[in-house]
Amino acid sequence: MSPTLLQEVSDHHALAGAKNASYAHSDPLSEIPTLSGVDISADGSTPIIDMEALLGPRRSEAIKQIGLACEKNGFFAVKNHGIPEMKINNMLDTAREFFHLPDEERLKFRSADPDSVIRLVTGFQDKTRNVFVSRQSLKFHCHPVEEYKGHWPSNPPSFRENVGEYCESVRKVEVAILEAISESLDLERDYIDKILKGHYVSINYYPACQESELDVTHGVRTHTDPTLITILMQDDVPGLQVINDDKWINVNPIPNAVVVHVGDILQAISNYRYKSLLHQAIVNCEKERVSIASYCYPSDDAMIGPAKKLIDEVHPAIYKDFTYREFHESMWRVKCSTAKRLDLFKPSSD
Ligand SMILES: O=C(O)CCC(=O)C(=O)O
Ligand SMILES: [Fe+2]
């Protein structure tokens, strides 16, 4: 066992009962979390965007703030997003009810095919890293809702209605935020919306810490999302951590706000001006946690290279042109760290 892993092990035991335990990270790209006794209550400063400002005379100021947050932080929180509080609460309640169902009800949705329209992924043991990854997630397509609804669980009975309503509301936020992001890059307002296909939802459920024969229990390991943007709704239990200035910071829940992450595809379109956010979720030893991630992705044939307007002598193209289909296929074909997925599309890697 490497010294780093040994260090993780002993730190993990020291922190086992800690509330909202955090991880420090010596090398953010190594994807192997190093546990240490950093300030466990610290909440990094989350840029907050008021979405109402996008609708009025403060629009250009709000767009500037969004651009700055994408460039400097890779994420921001959005308040006044227009998703009714009741729809959020219904979605979270439904998610909890689904994950409290007996195994046989939930496991019907288990599938190893990453392209299936719905699939349940259970917690698993990564023995190569001595890590137990405790997240269970139900992942499904949801745009347009009517096309996919029939594939969703009918138990709990409220599932289709509550999830459908949430997905339709989130779609409006997606479109509006992507318009603002396009403008923040000085591109036409619909530059990104024109290639947007839909979103794919992952209902993430993290049981309160479980016993595992492995040494480290992690909610979700460090990764970037293969998306344009991800819109994340968290319940009131902290767990999300992001890399900021090479350090892990907590992004604690803000009531009724969603968190927007820059994803890989936006990193490519922006010619590496906006960087895909490295993030992870930690487990909480006292409470279960639920988060709802909406992954916005483009249509298969959409060309994803850097926007031509963002390429010049000072900013040469960091990536070749490629389709979303090529990117998606390479994700499953080539085993590499998620933060390196886009390297395959650099001009020199023919
Ligand atoms: O639960 C969280 O806070 C993060 C979830 C996540 O990163 C994902 O679903 O891709
Ligand atoms: Fe993620």
Side-chain angles (χ1 to χ4, degrees):
M1 194 184 279
S2 71
T4 327
L5 213 43
L6 276 173
Q7 183 64 40
E8 283 180 21
V9 171
S10 55
D11 283 342
H12 176 68
H13 288 310
L15 277 173
K19 204 173 154 199
N20 305 336
S22 297
Y23 300 109
H25 212 297
S26 51
D27 172 8
L29 295 181
S30 75
E31 297 207 8
I32 300 176
T34 307
L35 296 166
S36 87
V38 291
D39 178 359
I40 58 172
S41 61
D43 183 8
S45 51
T46 299
I48 300 180
I49 305 295
D50 180 353
M51 211 166 115
E52 263 171 21
L54 288 173
L55 304 173
R58 290 181 295 140
R59 180 172 175 84
S60 58
E61 183 50 36
I63 286 173
K64 248 191 234 147
Q65 284 174 4
I66 289 178
L68 210 64
C70 287
E71 198 161 343
K72 286 189 59 155
N73 307 81
F75 76 102
F76 52 91
V78 177
K79 63 175 191 180
N80 294 326
H81 41 62
I83 311 172
E85 194 176 339
M86 198 183 70
K87 291 190 184 174
I88 293 172
N89 291 337
N90 287 346
M91 173 78 220
L92 292 170
D93 288 346
T94 301
R96 273 182 218 107
E97 277 178 58
F98 175 80
F99 280 101
H100 291 166
L101 289 173
D103 282 357
E104 64 274 15
E105 268 298 307
R106 284 177 296 115
L107 295 180
K108 285 195 261 192
F109 295 95
R110 192 147 67 170
S111 160
D113 174 7
D115 284 328
S116 73
V117 287
I118 182 160
R119 70 189 179 106
L120 178 85
V121 181
T122 51
F124 63 93
Q125 312 218 320
D126 178 350
K127 292 202 166 150
T128 59
R129 289 176 179 172
N130 241 25
V131 171
F132 179 68
V133 180
S134 75
R135 173 176 75 162
Q136 301 169 27
S137 53
L138 185 69
K139 297 171 188 296
F140 50 90
H141 284 279
C142 52
H143 182 79
V145 164
E146 287 312 318
E147 189 176 325
Y148 291 109
K149 212 173 181 171
H151 297 279
W152 301 349
S154 51
N155 190 11
S158 60
F159 193 100
R160 293 182 182 174
E161 188 182 338
N162 289 344
V163 174
E165 288 190 351
Y166 177 80
C167 289
E168 274 166 357
S169 298
V170 157
R171 168 77 182 175
K172 293 185 193 140
V173 180
E174 247 168 70
V175 170
I177 294 291
L178 286 171
E179 281 179 357
I181 288 178
S182 293
E183 287 189 68
S184 76
L185 289 164
D186 211 14
L187 301 170
E188 303 88 74
R189 186 165 170 159
D190 63 352
Y191 187 93
I192 301 178
D193 281 346
K194 272 200 291 211
I195 60 166
L196 176 66
K197 178 152 182 226
H199 66 255
Y200 182 83
V201 159
S202 179
I203 300 183
N204 302 313
Y205 176 75
Y206 306 89
C209 290
Q210 291 169 324
E211 287 293 314
S212 158
E213 68 188 65
L214 300 187
D215 297 314
V216 177
T217 301
H218 215 245
V220 176
R221 293 168 302 175
T222 309
H223 66 284
T224 62
D225 290 344
T227 59
L228 284 158
I229 53 172
T230 302
I231 299 188
L232 188 81
M233 168 68 64
Q234 315 185 60
D235 69 5
D236 57 352
V237 181
L240 174 64
Q241 296 190 326
V242 305
I243 291 281
N244 225 234
D245 288 337
D246 284 343
K247 285 194 202 78
W248 283 111
I249 57 167
N250 299 318
V251 182
N252 289 341
I254 301 172
N256 287 317
V258 293
V259 179
V260 175
H261 297 179
V262 171
D264 297 346
I265 306 297
L266 181 55
Q267 173 172 316
I269 291 176
S270 72
N271 202 17
Y272 203 55
R273 190 156 131 194
Y274 297 168
K275 319 255 182 332
S276 194
L277 181 72
L278 267 172
H279 57 286
Q280 63 183 16
I282 60 168
V283 283
N284 187 293
C285 289
E286 289 168 8
K287 284 184 172 172
E288 63 183 9
R289 173 171 182 262
V290 170
S291 73
I292 315 293
S294 303
Y295 303 118
C296 309
Y297 64 95
S299 36
D300 282 350
D301 295 327
M303 271 297 178
I304 309 292
K308 299 291 168 277
K309 209 171 167 183
L310 304 178
I311 304 171
D312 57 33
E313 277 178 21
V314 185
H315 307 99
I318 303 283
Y319 304 107
K320 301 181 282 195
D321 282 341
F322 56 95
T323 61
Y324 179 65
R325 182 183 288 108
E326 289 170 307
F327 174 79
H328 185 79
E329 282 170 0
S330 74
M331 242 167 56
W332 304 108
R333 199 168 29 82
V334 183
K335 274 235 165 293
C336 67
S337 93
T338 61
K340 295 197 175 357
R341 270 190 301 237
L342 277 175
D343 290 359
L344 293 173
F345 299 97
K346 287 190 165 169
S348 54
S349 64
D350 277 327

